[in-house]
Amino acid sequence: MDSLLIRDATVADGSGEPAYRADVAVEGGRVTAVVAEGTGPRPVGTGRTLDAAGLTLAPGFIDMHAHSDLALLRDPDHSAKAAQGVTLEVVGQDGLSYAPVDDRTLAEVRSAIAGWNGPGDDVDFDWRTVGEYLDRIDRQGTAVNAAYLVPQGSVRMLAVGWDDRPATAEETAAMRRLVAEGLEQGAVGMSSGLTYTPGMYASDAELTELCRTVASYGGYYCPHHRSYGRNALQAYEEMVALSRDAGCALHLAHATMNFGVNEGRGPELTALLDRALDGGADITLDTYPYTPGCTTLVAMLPSWASAGGPEAVMERLADDGTCARIRHTMEVEGADGCHGVPMDWSTIEISGVSDPALSGHVGRTVAESAALRGEDAFTTARRLLVEDRLGTTILQHVGHEENVRHIMRHRVHTAGSDGILQGDKPHPRAYGTFPQYLGRYVRELGILSLEECVAHLTSRAAARLRLPDRGLVREGYRADLVLFDADSVAPGATFDNPRALPVGIPYVLVDGRFVMDEGRRTDVLAGRSVRRTP
């Protein structure tokens, strides 16, 4: 590889310490010298020299919660993340992904999360195991690196199926073997989606057994826990207790406090975490810097309505009597799929459909679409689910800005976009999370200092992933680097134009190679799988 000299950069090195002016040398995919101004002879090289005066140099950003499982393969250019300065993302999230699978469960999971990743008709599913999926990334190459979490829901799908029942001892042993195999093949931990079927059918005892396996490999548990609404604090407490009992490190996915019942309650969450941390717990969390959430419309259904898998859901939606029961659960009782909060259809915006014939719904709330059709909101939602074969994605406008700001200040906070790239009107967090942190919450609002924010986006995440040579600008570390203009960096993506690329991030390097150069995506595919460090 050619050498590179970066001259006169303002280095925010990921440690959280004050930034300093320095020259940085790169060769062979590694940082070979970091010479602060006035501390010694300037490094020299034979390759390219980049004048970085006026730019901040930081480690590449790590997206701790990504849904690019198929996008990495479908579109290796992956500008959605590369243009943000992301050099590593963690996929296999929320307990549902495409490895490990067999022929039966591959078809089931493709249908279940078509709203996240599309149906996958344009992808050659030439893998079945975690290792084979990671090998596929390595053979093909992509813009950014990727780490993988074993998805507990997919594991349960293989060993138990879609039934809402306790696993037998034999089934639990089979799940432990599948989790162990995934970790041995390179996964960094295990995820769960405990408001998504079939993973949500697991008891705490079952999850604890799986987490003991994760802990034995030095991995971490990343749950989308059982409630972000009415019982949010109890759900956080449940995960903290579970991880303590299992002796397993815990990383709380998209750690928000949403819905009206949780307005202003961010400090209660951080107090809970502080007590656990002070008691010796190993906990981290990630958040995205926006208030709306994003998921699939089918995820709003009560869990009993999703038992048996996607085809069983379709059968229930076709039955008027069953749908009357579903409606009552959602609109009166508060379905577990909607975190125990009665459904407010005016907060559910349709962001994407699998069937282009339904695109007229996109950008409207379910309530608005229903009014245009002259019918009630549940009838419209039911119609969408059936006609789109469960492939509809939504934005859920239920967040609180004060909670977002409070939680992002926490000492174990990292960043995760939770970015769903599928749909006509995806959440702008998929294209804008990292410049949103740097532009809005650092420069405009001063919620975090620049150096502190960079540490959240880099070294804290690398430490959770146990990566000994990423997350800092240090000699010997991998040259996954980003250069941005702290005075202008900002997301281009908005809710009206969600796929616009950011501004103020001209250079991004993966393994010492430019994937973004002068603000333009190159043809470099330097990204590879990043596997668990033994």
Side-chain angles (χ1 to χ4, degrees):
M1 296 181 182
D2 293 335
S3 64
L4 169 69
L5 285 179
I6 303 171
R7 295 286 195 201
D8 297 320
T10 299
V11 178
D13 65 7
S15 68
E17 295 298 315
Y20 56 92
R21 191 177 177 95
D23 295 340
V24 176
V26 172
E27 190 163 1
R30 300 270 177 178
V31 175
T32 56
V34 181
V35 181
E37 185 177 45
T39 63
R42 305 185 79 176
V44 296
T46 58
R48 178 176 175 180
T49 298
L50 176 63
D51 181 3
L55 296 177
T56 298
L57 173 67
F61 304 140
I62 298 176
D63 187 344
M64 287 295 288
H65 192 100
H67 287 284
S68 306
D69 307 50
L70 296 187
L72 289 163
L73 308 178
R74 177 188 295 122
D75 179 25
D77 177 83
H78 209 37
S79 293
K81 295 299 177 66
Q84 294 185 61
V86 171
T87 59
L88 169 62
E89 55 184 355
V90 186
V91 297
Q93 298 285 353
D94 292 334
L96 290 167
S97 191
Y98 306 92
V101 291
D102 58 17
D103 291 348
R104 170 185 64 85
T105 62
L106 175 59
E108 291 171 345
V109 78
R110 284 177 62 180
S111 177
I113 56 174
W116 293 353
N117 296 295
D121 296 337
D122 51 354
V123 174
D124 178 12
F125 288 89
D126 60 351
W127 70 88
R128 294 295 182 270
T129 69
V130 170
E132 289 168 351
Y133 172 76
L134 296 176
D135 289 344
R136 169 69 180 277
I137 292 173
D138 290 342
R139 288 197 309 273
Q140 182 170 309
T142 186
V144 307
N145 299 304
Y148 191 78
L149 295 166
V150 179
Q152 171 258 333
S154 299
V155 166
R156 200 174 209 270
M157 215 180 293
L158 273 169
V160 182
W162 289 81
D163 295 339
D164 182 2
R165 64 169 176 82
T168 66
E170 292 78 11
E171 289 166 342
T172 300
M175 287 189 284
R176 291 192 69 168
R177 286 194 299 271
L178 288 166
V179 171
E181 289 168 4
L183 290 158
E184 289 167 0
Q185 293 164 11
V188 295
M190 182 182 75
S191 74
S192 284
L194 300 180
T195 64
Y196 300 130
T197 55
M200 69 187 302
Y201 300 142
S203 66
D204 285 1
E206 178 181 317
L207 294 170
T208 299
E209 287 301 304
L210 300 185
C211 283
R212 288 190 175 120
T213 297
V214 174
S216 71
Y217 285 90
Y220 69 93
Y221 180 42
C222 180
H224 164 128
H225 52 270
R226 298 191 192 275
S227 176
Y228 291 81
R230 186 174 63 192
N231 297 312
L233 282 175
Q234 296 95 311
Y236 283 113
E237 290 172 346
E238 175 191 9
M239 293 299 100
V240 170
L242 188 155
S243 66
R244 181 184 62 241
D245 292 345
C248 186
L250 176 66
H251 180 84
L252 296 166
H254 37 61
T256 56
M257 293 287 286
N258 289 339
F259 301 92
V261 294
N262 289 316
E263 186 172 3
R265 299 185 72 188
E268 294 180 56
L269 169 59
T270 55
L272 184 161
L273 298 178
D274 284 336
R275 289 192 296 272
L277 290 163
D278 292 344
D282 183 358
I283 302 174
T284 50
L285 60 88
D286 66 66
T287 71
Y288 48 84
Y290 298 88
T291 53
C294 181
T295 187
T296 57
L297 183 59
V298 68
M300 298 292 101
L301 298 179
S303 58
W304 59 260
S306 293
E311 290 308 314
V313 177
M314 294 293 289
E315 291 175 7
R316 292 186 183 101
L317 290 170
D319 182 78
D320 289 343
T322 304
C323 278
R325 182 183 168 205
I326 291 172
R327 178 175 185 167
H328 180 82
T329 303
M330 295 179 74
E331 296 184 346
V332 179
E333 297 175 1
D336 48 6
C338 194
H339 309 279
V341 178
M343 181 63 68
D344 178 356
W345 294 109
S346 68
T347 67
I348 306 299
E349 180 183 353
I350 301 152
S351 61
V353 291
S354 294
D355 183 350
L358 300 170
S359 60
H361 292 279
V362 173
R364 296 191 176 105
T365 67
V366 173
E368 289 168 343
S369 274
L372 289 172
R373 298 180 67 94
E375 61 190 16
D376 63 81
F378 179 82
T379 299
T380 295
R382 176 187 180 185
R383 186 192 306 276
L384 261 174
L385 287 167
V386 171
E387 294 179 2
D388 208 24
R389 294 200 60 82
L390 314 183
T392 305
T393 53
I394 60 170
L395 301 180
Q396 199 170 10
H397 295 272
V398 293
H400 304 287
E401 179 68 18
E402 69 273 24
N403 287 344
V404 170
R405 295 185 189 188
H406 178 82
I407 295 167
M408 73 170 61
R409 294 188 183 102
H410 196 266
R411 52 177 158 151
V412 297
H413 171 265
T414 69
S417 69
D418 198 11
I420 294 175
L421 301 167
Q422 181 71 14
D424 300 307
K425 193 173 180 284
H427 196 304
R429 68 192 185 193
Y431 286 75
T433 284
F434 294 84
Q436 176 84 335
Y437 269 114
L438 295 167
R440 176 164 172 75
Y441 289 95
V442 171
R443 185 180 64 248
E444 295 177 9
L445 298 176
I447 302 299
L448 298 168
S449 71
L450 177 66
E451 294 89 346
E452 183 182 13
C453 184
V454 168
H456 289 216
L457 309 185
T458 59
S459 63
R460 288 187 183 180
R464 166 51 71 219
L465 296 169
R466 296 180 62 200
L467 302 177
D469 58 356
R470 300 177 196 265
L472 294 168
V473 180
R474 292 280 193 276
E475 291 183 14
Y477 275 58
R478 296 218 177 236
D480 293 349
L481 303 168
V482 56
L483 288 128
F484 62 91
D485 183 346
D487 294 328
S488 67
V489 61
T494 64
F495 286 97
D496 291 329
N497 186 19
R499 287 191 169 90
L501 298 181
V503 297
I505 306 179
Y507 302 103
V508 182
L509 293 92
V510 173
D511 201 30
R513 302 168 65 192
F514 285 93
V515 296
M516 298 293 298
D517 194 349
E518 296 182 352
R520 294 187 296 273
R521 178 71 179 91
T522 70
D523 60 1
V524 168
L525 299 176
R528 296 294 185 270
S529 67
V530 173
R531 309 196 188 204
R532 182 184 61 86
T533 302

